[in-house]
Amino acid sequence: MTAADGDLVAAFHAQCREQSLLLRWGRTRLTPRDLALLLAQAQCWIGLDATQRPLALVCVGSVNRQPGVVDLGLQVADDHHRRGIGTAMARQAARIARTRGAHTLTAFTHASNTPMLRLLEHLGPTRRTRDGPYAEVRVALDAYPPATLPPARSVPT
């Protein structure tokens, strides 16, 4: 995803209830400036259905600036919850993070967001810390082997 995908992000957010957007972003829409700041800190993808309609948004980046730790941002369109889309995107984000050297994936979510907490527990061993009405969840990425380079080919001499 790039800043040029602002219309696609807006189309995705149009499928989300205001309450969902407030819980995820703290506001009901992302401005171009918000999107630019997000993209400066994280790599983001938009999940599309077969008709190219946006269904989910996932971001992975080192927001907290801890070496080897990346933060996960995830939102699925309201009418597509409980279909495995978020889990699939989160697993892919975890694989990519591990490939890039991360050992821990974190997420900061409302403590009452049971579906997100369950999703994170399915990614790997978790440690949860409560912060008022929120929870920080840390997922160990040990189950995701880092990408390996293909074996070097010998060159005939």
Side-chain angles (χ1 to χ4, degrees), residues 6-147:
D7 290 342
L8 199 56
V9 173
F12 167 68
H13 282 158
Q15 299 175 68
C16 301
R17 294 184 320 267
E18 278 191 11
Q19 183 63 26
S20 297
L21 294 170
L22 284 170
L23 281 173
R24 174 64 189 96
W25 302 102
R27 57 183 62 102
T28 58
R29 75 179 196 81
L30 287 182
T31 65
R33 183 176 182 274
D34 296 328
L35 184 57
L37 288 171
L38 177 64
L39 291 171
Q41 294 181 352
Q43 185 173 9
C44 302
W45 303 272
I46 297 175
L48 305 173
D49 69 8
T51 66
Q52 301 301 301
R53 181 175 156 215
L55 301 178
L57 175 63
V58 64
C59 299
V60 177
S62 184
V63 176
N64 63 27
R65 307 279 188 248
Q66 296 173 20
V69 178
V70 294
D71 300 289
L72 172 70
L74 175 67
Q75 186 171 18
V76 176
D78 292 336
D79 60 345
H80 286 82
H81 287 186
R82 305 195 55 81
R83 296 184 186 183
I85 296 167
T87 300
M89 292 192 74
R91 282 189 177 134
Q92 182 66 12
R95 280 187 208 91
I96 290 168
R98 182 69 171 140
T99 297
R100 294 188 178 154
H103 55 75
T104 303
L105 185 77
T106 65
F108 194 73
T109 188
H110 205 277
S112 66
N113 189 348
T114 305
M116 182 63 166
L117 295 172
R118 241 184 270 135
L119 179 152
L120 293 165
E121 288 170 0
H122 285 106
L123 293 179
T126 60
R127 188 179 74 215
R128 192 183 310 181
T129 306
R130 188 78 185 247
D131 184 8
Y134 298 95
E136 179 192 39
V137 180
R138 298 174 75 83
V139 180
L141 294 178
D142 299 342
Y144 298 88

